[in-house]
Amino acid sequence: MRVVFDFGGVLFQWRPADLLKRALPRHAADDEQAAHWVQQIFQGYGGDWGEFDRGVVEPPALSEQIARRTGLQAADVMAVIDAVADELQPIAASVNLLERLHAAGTPLHYLSNMPIPYADHLDRSHAFLGRFTSGVYSGRVQLVKPDPAIFEHAATHFGARPDELVFLDDHPPNVAAARAAGWQALQFSNAAQAERDLRAAGWWPDAG
């Protein structure tokens, strides 16, 4: 089996409420306010932000669109956009999981909804991404999860049959979409749980 990692919330930290508390302290001063602005700005990763993920809108235009829709100042929205790269810090336990799978000879790929500026930043910043045989960033192919087309594209790009792929993603709709595309998929909570589930399913490299 080949293991496919999502990035945000799986291999890299993604805590949008905490991000907004740092980037928008006047607006997101507590948990309730932060939760409100998470929904307003990211829209469940659809809407304006979803088009950013898809790679069809640039940061300046995105900041203006979100500002018009929410009433925030465009400069405040740009502060959030700029803060995302620093939020995407590696999760040590997940990197360890990646390294052990790689050491065991498991082919590794990634499939991430990731706007081009952050994809470029991650590629520049983290040598461990070299453990992946190949990967797909949404912004570079103008397709996003959970659209079926991105799973078809990714399987072709990886040179694999769908049933050879085990996808680790923290977002339930993406897990469901992967399964609908014929992939194996596990909802990711943390690295220890993912390893347990991989072993239980017989997908860990030394299983059996």
Side-chain angles (χ1 to χ4, degrees):
M1 298 297 288
R2 302 166 182 241
V3 178
V4 184
F5 281 73
D6 176 36
F7 274 7
V10 174
L11 195 57
F12 293 93
Q13 171 182 285
W14 179 241
R15 304 172 303 184
D18 291 342
L19 182 156
L20 293 186
K21 287 178 184 178
R22 294 192 303 272
L24 291 178
R26 292 184 296 110
H27 298 279
D30 57 32
D31 290 347
E32 183 177 355
Q33 291 177 351
H36 168 78
W37 288 110
V38 165
Q39 179 57 39
Q40 291 298 306
I41 292 172
F42 299 110
Q43 292 182 282
Y45 311 107
D48 302 320
W49 199 274
E51 294 303 284
F52 187 36
D53 274 342
R54 195 185 299 275
V56 297
V57 62
E58 297 292 329
L62 176 68
S63 67
E64 293 289 346
Q65 289 171 14
I66 293 175
R68 285 195 298 271
R69 179 170 53 74
T70 64
L72 291 169
Q73 295 296 312
D76 287 336
V77 179
M78 187 58 75
V80 173
I81 295 169
D82 290 342
V84 168
D86 286 339
E87 169 63 19
L88 292 169
Q89 296 298 317
I91 301 170
S94 296
V95 175
N96 179 263
L97 176 67
L98 175 78
E99 295 285 4
R100 289 189 296 117
L101 287 166
H102 178 265
T106 302
L108 300 168
H109 308 276
Y110 61 82
L111 174 58
S112 176
N113 279 0
M114 191 67 63
I116 292 170
Y118 309 142
D120 292 345
H121 167 77
L122 294 176
D123 284 348
R124 288 192 305 266
S125 302
H126 302 292
F128 64 80
L129 296 184
R131 302 304 192 194
F132 290 105
T133 300
S134 61
V136 171
Y137 288 120
S138 63
R140 292 182 180 166
V141 299
Q142 296 191 350
L143 298 167
V144 293
K145 299 176 293 181
D147 292 351
I150 198 170
F151 293 96
E152 180 179 358
H153 173 90
T156 299
H157 181 71
F158 302 156
R161 300 191 316 269
D163 62 357
E164 295 176 317
L165 300 170
V166 180
F167 189 38
L168 306 180
D169 194 295
D170 63 317
H171 193 45
N174 296 338
V175 173
R179 290 173 178 163
W183 297 29
Q184 311 294 339
L186 298 173
Q187 186 171 340
F188 182 95
S189 296
N190 56 64
Q193 161 265 322
E195 179 171 344
R196 287 194 302 271
D197 288 352
L198 287 167
R199 289 184 182 277
W203 298 329
W204 190 260
D206 63 2

